[in-house]
Amino acid sequence: MGAQIHSYLMSEDARDQADFYVESLGGEIQSLTTFGEMPGTPEAMKDKVMHLALTVAGTNTLMISDSFAPVSYNRSIILALNYDDESEARTAYANLSEGGESKYPLALQPWGAYYGEVVDKFGVTWMITKQ
């Protein structure tokens, strides 16, 4: 028996956040379901995203949903992207930094890899590594 683990983010604006990741990391939205597609949904919820799946930075699946409670991310969970190409790592770092906060600039580390950390404009922390 086996399982796959996927990151599932709760968002205050799932569509905007998904579009940002597609633009920043490359990829595409695979599916989007709104609460309005479910019977009996109140009018105020109809356009809210119930489930959105997207592919980013190659074949990585990321899922996002609109939240009905305030969203706050913390640094106890971080998304990590590992690149083989330094240029791709730098581009991802720069793109995710737009409107966000650079925690650690992407730079060559004593252990021989390039590493950087950024909190994007939605509050999600990303570790970017080039081995």
Side-chain angles (χ1 to χ4, degrees), residues 17 20-21 96 99-101 118-126:
Q17 194 166 355
F20 177 73
Y21 294 147
L96 289 170
E101 177 188 0
V118 61
V119 179
D120 71 28
K121 66 182 180 178
F122 297 97
V124 176
T125 303
W126 297 81

Side-chain angles (χ1 to χ4, degrees), residues 90-112:
R90 289 193 180 283
T91 298
Y93 184 90
N95 290 346
L96 289 170
S97 296
E98 288 182 28
E101 177 188 0
S102 174
K103 299 299 278 184
Y104 302 105
L106 185 68
L108 185 59
Q109 301 301 315
W111 61 85

Side-chain angles (χ1 to χ4, degrees), residues 1 12 18 30 37 43 77-78 101 107-108 129:
M1 182 162 49
E12 292 179 3
Q30 298 296 323
E37 295 174 52
E43 194 61 37
I77 296 176
I78 296 174
E101 177 188 0
L108 185 59
T129 307

Side-chain angles (χ1 to χ4, degrees), residues 9-121:
L9 303 175
M10 301 308 293
S11 177
E12 292 179 3
D13 188 344
R15 289 179 185 164
D16 189 39
Q17 194 166 355
D19 288 343
F20 177 73
Y21 294 147
V22 166
E23 230 176 87
S24 296
L25 302 171
E28 65 181 315
I29 293 173
Q30 298 296 323
S31 65
L32 189 155
T33 305
T34 65
F35 284 96
E37 295 174 52
M38 301 300 117
T41 300
E43 194 61 37
M45 293 176 54
K46 288 194 179 221
D47 290 334
K48 295 288 187 182
V49 174
M50 184 173 75
H51 178 76
L52 186 152
L54 64 151
T55 307
V56 293
T59 61
N60 303 289
T61 300
L62 184 61
M63 292 179 264
I64 305 176
S65 179
D66 280 322
S67 175
F68 294 100
V71 174
S72 71
Y73 296 105
N74 62 52
R75 292 183 37 81
S76 65
I77 296 176
I78 296 174
L79 301 181
L81 286 172
N82 299 303
Y83 286 92
D84 293 326
D85 182 80
E86 182 184 344
S87 175
E88 288 180 355
R90 289 193 180 283
T91 298
Y93 184 90
N95 290 346
L96 289 170
S97 296
E98 288 182 28
E101 177 188 0
S102 174
K103 299 299 278 184
Y104 302 105
L106 185 68
L108 185 59
Q109 301 301 315
W111 61 85
Y114 284 84
Y115 173 84
E117 196 171 304
V118 61
V119 179
D120 71 28
K121 66 182 180 178

